[in-house]
Amino acid sequence: MPNVLTRGSDWSTLRREPDAARLGDELVVQTPYGDSGKSTFFINNESDWDTHSADIIGQDIKVMRRINNLPVAVEAVLTRSGTVVGPFLTELAGHQDLTPCSSSWRSSSSWTSRKSMPAGRHSPARIPGAR
């Protein structure tokens, strides 16, 4: 992913290096510390900068081109005779009943599987081959 590393200070500085690197107008800005859903900002214009600048100013930041991706996951089950692969799944972010933090995808699959799995089965499910 094309990106530049810079320091968050003001709108013109934010635009200078990404413009030189030809990253485009739709930017993804990440600060180095914190939960991934709370340290990533989508900035397309100065108004977006004004909204998020308090969380960015003074930090080293990574600025990337925004891409339109299609995240997918594959469910798989380990059995005694081999691996059975299930369906392709799209991202679960933003579904309040499945994702505890609306701005983050993290823990979606482990959170849902713990809710749907019988008590006492969590540990064996995390260790491949455990019985």
Side-chain angles (χ1 to χ4, degrees):
M1 171 64 58
N3 66 79
V4 294
L5 300 176
T6 187
R7 189 137 180 99
S9 60
D10 58 35
W11 170 247
S12 61
T13 302
L14 175 70
R15 287 303 328 174
R16 189 177 311 122
E17 293 189 42
D19 285 347
R22 298 181 180 184
L23 295 182
D25 293 328
E26 296 182 28
L27 301 175
V28 178
V29 175
Q30 286 187 320
T31 57
Y33 305 107
D35 180 18
S36 63
K38 296 179 182 173
S39 60
T40 303
F41 307 94
F42 298 93
I43 300 180
N44 301 334
N45 52 48
E46 193 166 2
S47 176
D48 293 341
W49 166 258
D50 292 340
T51 300
H52 302 294
S53 62
D55 296 316
I56 299 171
I57 291 176
Q59 296 198 54
D60 293 323
I61 58 175
K62 180 179 184 180
V63 184
M64 299 166 283
R65 171 183 310 163
R66 183 173 183 178
I67 61 170
N68 291 324
N69 63 321
L70 177 62
V72 295
V74 178
E75 289 279 329
V77 178
L78 297 175
T79 67
R80 289 182 184 165
S81 59
T83 302
V84 178
V85 178
F88 286 93
L89 305 170
T90 58
E91 188 171 1
L92 301 175
H95 296 274
Q96 289 183 333
D97 54 336
L98 299 177
T99 307
C101 178
S102 63
S103 61
S104 177
W105 57 266
R106 127 185 126 76
S107 300
S108 294
S109 60
S110 61
W111 187 80
T112 55
S113 60
R114 285 184 183 160
K115 290 285 188 185
S116 61
M117 195 176 291
R121 295 297 300 163
H122 300 163
S123 295
R126 282 183 283 180
I127 303 168
R131 291 191 167 93

